Amino acid sequence: MNRPRLHCLVAILGLTLISACASHAQTPAAADIAITHAKIFTLAGPPIEDGTVVLREGKIAAVGAGVPVPAGAQVIDAKGLQVYPGLFDSVTQMGLSEISAVNSTVDTTETGSFNPDVTAATAILPSSAHIPVTRASGITEVIAAPASGGFDSRNATNLVGGQASAIHLAGWTAEEMLINKHAAMVVDWPGIETRSFDFSTFTSKEKPFADAKKEYDKQVNELADYVEQARHYTQALQSPGSAGFQRDVKLEAMVPVIRGEMPLLVFADKARQIRDAVEFCDRQKLKIILAGATEAWKEKDLLRSKSVPVILRPTLAEPPEEDDAYDRLLTQPEELRAAGIKIAFGSFDNSFARRLGQNAANAVAHGLPYEEALKAVTLYPAQMFGLEAHLGTVEPGKTANLIVTNGDPLEVTTDFRYLFIKGQLTSTDNKQKALYEKYMNRPKAAH
């Protein structure tokens, strides 16, 4: 291309960009949205019959039975429908793992035992196909947790796996999705493992109990030493100009944990793991949220006495031990709640995150009060991660993450008619829906 033509093209592109910027700057602010004639389950009080919710600039501006509709607002007539806060999945690998069997699409763990400086938000893929599928089931926000165990960990031995991030399930970039980049520090509590699986040979290996116990004690001691190093580093930060001070980004990431500003999200399932983890955090004066907790019922007195909140794995799973009752995981939520322990539910993966509500519903069928189950996937997760000022209920001033349904959001047959994230009406279209419609509408074969 000759130089005059190149200059002309550059000039045209420049004018186009200026015009686009001017047009964007002149775009009026988005109109208010008013959801009218709905039954509103605020979870902050009794349901509101024939109520109105007004959304403005990403927040809930007003809610109530006599709320006027602002002039110029977009009105959604929700007569016969119900409004709830969006569902909150407490533990996922959302945006971190796409196809678990394909390593190049999995970014859930790092090498080494201590990675407190790693944050989930930096690795989240906003275009993940799991996000719209999950969103279509009424889930508007999740905790994306690195090093949270499972098949995707590939036997990684992360003790401190990194920082879990709270994200909205909508946004072009990870930054647009962020609620809290530093929601919790993930700790995968070690266990006494006498059997391990070698992925390189796909065979099981046996180990004497004494050796397994020795390895367990070593890992716990390493974790204690690391916390102590972080505590000394936190103290040194008060006078960083002192002789000999050297910045350490890993230890610096632990400072909010030491100061009690960031909780530890501790993954532990067996009773011994749970007991040791809770007692460890109590000695170290660290805030703990227990995740997994398959045998939490065995340590419910300890959990209650230390006010430890618990995020439970899906209830629709086989009993953890062969001699456990068939409904062990189904009855545990009510057993913990009755003992005075705050519980939430998490999917702990991506593929079945869409079944979060149904896992809570099955606990209702086994004794958990319905409102407690609903709060366990809305308000209680927000409280556990310090987000209750923004999420979890339908109240003025909170982020407008809402769902409008034709029934109970915990029921598998319920339709999610409208879904709002940060006050924006958000599509529930997704890959699974597209495939369903494609094959339902395929031409019938001629006979």
Side-chain angles (χ1 to χ4, degrees), residues 245-286:
F245 178 83
Q246 292 184 339
R247 187 182 179 197
D248 186 317
V249 294
K250 289 182 178 287
L251 293 177
E252 197 161 308
M254 289 288 293
V255 170
V257 176
I258 299 300
R259 289 177 175 169
E261 299 164 357
M262 182 192 298
L264 288 181
L265 181 61
V266 180
F267 287 77
D269 281 295
K270 296 294 185 181
R272 180 169 190 155
Q273 288 178 293
I274 294 169
R275 183 170 62 254
D276 289 353
V278 171
E279 291 175 349
F280 176 89
C281 290
D282 187 50
R283 288 194 305 271
Q284 298 288 350
K285 302 188 185 308
L286 306 175

